[in-house]
Amino acid sequence: NFYLGEGMDDVEARYGLVNLAAFLAHSMAQSIKYDICDEPNWENVNGKYPLSNACGQGGQSYQDMTCPEDEKHMECPVKTTMTTRAITHANWGAEPGAPAPLFCQPKSVDGTPYTGFWDPKYKCDRPYRDPPEFCDAYEGQVNGRIDNSVSAANMAARIDVEGCCWWGRGVIPAQGVCSIGRLNYFLGKGAADAGR
């Protein structure tokens, strides 16, 4: 719950305002300072940035972050056919090669049962090669590429991105089928459909 103070007491109202100010300050730090609205691929595992980090970072599995029984009706269903791509990506400042935006897709899209990793050291801007190579993962990219030649597991041992569309979004960030489901239930399409 977001505490805004209880009752009409002046002290309680001040507590609520301080809490709101802290929330807005955190929002500024995450969204404005780092210019991101999607969770970036930040976790390096065994020297690689697994594409399966879309399924969870820090040892978490976002699709397994379910709601308690009394809130199950808010939870987003995991669909293995979902395909989506984050809008924003990691920003390493002056250092080139930051990982591309997270994405999810069925295993059948490219015919391999696994995904690889982001290689930040690969020089992708080589227009003189035959065939020419260009950096096309995001605007301003000068290094890096997706390498699917071998599987690369995230910290939770996932090696694919099927059904893994639940990475962090927004300034909070909301991660997992429960948190994103709650946002949808109270503020998104679920709320609009129900007239909330």
Side-chain angles (χ1 to χ4, degrees):
N1 293 333
F2 192 81
Y3 184 77
L4 291 174
E6 294 179 11
M8 301 303 287
D9 185 295
D10 191 40
V11 173
E12 292 293 322
R14 288 180 190 198
Y15 288 152
L17 288 174
V18 168
N19 198 30
L20 180 60
F23 172 76
L24 293 174
H26 177 75
S27 299
M28 178 270 181
Q30 295 299 310
S31 293
I32 298 170
K33 183 177 180 182
Y34 298 112
D35 194 26
I36 59 172
C37 62
D38 289 293
E39 177 180 354
N41 185 344
W42 57 264
E43 188 165 44
N44 187 313
V45 180
N46 299 320
K48 298 176 178 171
Y49 292 91
L51 301 179
S52 57
N53 278 345
C55 300
Q57 299 186 87
Q60 298 181 67
S61 172
Y62 299 153
Q63 71 187 61
D64 293 325
M65 297 170 81
T66 58
C67 291
E69 280 304 315
D70 62 335
E71 294 182 353
K72 283 282 187 196
H73 62 284
M74 295 184 220
E75 194 173 288
C76 290
V78 174
K79 296 180 181 174
T80 58
T81 57
M82 290 178 68
T83 301
T84 193
R85 182 172 299 275
I87 304 297
T88 55
H89 58 85
N91 182 349
W92 289 354
E95 186 177 338
L102 296 172
F103 69 95
C104 68
Q105 67 185 27
K107 293 175 191 173
S108 62
V109 167
D110 58 12
T112 58
Y114 63 82
T115 54
F117 62 96
W118 178 261
D119 177 1
K121 295 181 179 159
Y122 185 81
K123 298 281 187 195
C124 55
D125 194 17
R126 300 176 187 198
Y128 50 83
R129 290 193 75 175
D130 186 22
E133 291 182 45
F134 300 98
C135 301
D136 60 0
Y138 54 85
E139 187 177 328
Q141 177 192 2
V142 293
N143 272 17
R145 72 168 174 174
I146 290 175
D147 183 339
N148 280 324
S149 63
V150 296
S151 65
N154 69 0
M155 290 296 286
R158 277 300 288 264
I159 60 167
D160 65 290
V161 293
E162 187 171 82
C164 294
C165 307
W166 311 107
W167 59 81
R169 291 169 174 85
V171 298
I172 301 174
Q175 297 170 325
V177 295
C178 185
S179 290
I180 293 174
R182 284 179 184 144
L183 281 174
N184 179 55
Y185 184 83
F186 289 111
L187 301 173
K189 186 177 185 307
D193 290 350
R196 283 188 289 278

